[in-house]
Amino acid sequence: MLFLRSILFLLFQAVTVVPYAIGCMLVLPLPFIWRYRYTAGWPRMVIWAAKIFVGIRYEIKGLHHVPDAPVIYLSKHQSTYETMFFAWFLRRPACFVYKKELNYIPFFGWGLASLRNIAINRQKGKNAMQQVMEIGTQRLAEGRSPVLFPEGTRIPPGQAGAYKLGGTRLAVHANTPIIPVAHNAGECWPKKPFTKKPGVVTISFGPPIEPAGRTPDEVMKEVRDWIEGEMRVLNPERYHDVAV
């Protein structure tokens, strides 16, 4: 039954992404905020469809930590779910860092490209990091909130990847607070299995972390400690023998 529901969910995404992407092209002449709100409607629909077709619901912790101001969100990365969620939920338009090749995916990538995110060439190493800082600072000045996944790739529940410094370097460079985010979306929407599982995804926003007068390493330690500590609150059964 779950397999059939997952198929219906996939079909819903496939059927709706094409007209939405075409719509993204049609609204390009409009002001950015209108285009963003229109385009963010698709990930919002996907979150809704995940609830209807698969039974994936969500709950929020720490909503009072989500400001109506541009900040940097550094989030745990387990699933596609959180990327869809951040795109429409945050109070300021989100701005994602991702590899430039995604812009070339038909329909889905076109929508990404229309929103002026931070698309980088990861093969360029230090130059890619410079792009994150320069474009990220510009997006913050425009009133947007960059969203970065410091682990770099989706990590299975109960595990932690190496936390990379890109987000904290941007925070120090732009002197902008960080909101750390922990969640357990991978419990319902795993990285590889096709079948999704019903359940409640808890998304927990932490208190702002100030970068002023600190190094990127110092800030990242606080970010990692909060996220990994909160993961043990969300799913303690996953961390019996795993050190923070």
Side-chain angles (χ1 to χ4, degrees), residues 44-159:
R44 185 171 190 171
M45 264 199 327
V46 171
I47 296 296
W48 170 84
K51 176 181 176 181
I52 299 302
F53 290 105
V54 192
I56 300 176
R57 296 169 289 119
Y58 69 85
E59 65 178 10
I60 305 297
K61 289 181 63 179
L63 182 59
H64 58 288
H65 293 312
V66 179
D68 186 10
V71 293
I72 298 167
Y73 292 89
L74 296 188
S75 172
K76 189 74 176 174
H77 198 16
Q78 291 185 346
S79 169
T80 303
Y81 188 94
E82 62 267 19
T83 60
M84 298 288 182
F85 183 87
F86 291 136
W88 69 268
F89 180 82
L90 300 179
R91 289 173 177 160
R92 288 296 180 103
C95 177
F96 293 90
V97 177
Y98 58 82
K99 56 185 180 181
K100 192 173 183 178
E101 291 80 2
L102 292 180
N103 284 342
Y104 308 131
I105 298 175
F107 302 111
F108 175 78
W110 302 345
L112 277 179
S114 72
L115 294 183
R116 304 202 319 271
N117 287 290
I118 306 174
I120 61 172
N121 185 343
R122 290 183 175 176
Q123 295 180 345
K124 291 189 176 181
K126 291 183 179 179
N127 185 55
M129 187 62 250
Q130 190 65 28
Q131 291 177 57
V132 171
M133 290 194 291
E134 291 179 358
I135 303 175
T137 301
Q138 182 180 343
R139 297 292 177 260
L140 285 162
E142 294 168 356
R144 300 177 64 182
S145 291
V147 177
L148 294 90
F149 303 105
E151 291 169 294
T153 187
R154 288 169 290 176
I155 303 295
Q159 300 179 28

Side-chain angles (χ1 to χ4, degrees), residues 9 13 46 50 56 78-81 185-191 196:
F9 178 49
Q13 295 177 75
V46 171
I56 300 176
Q78 291 185 346
S79 169
T80 303
Y81 188 94
E187 301 287 350
C188 298
W189 189 326
K191 177 180 180 179
K196 310 298 185 291

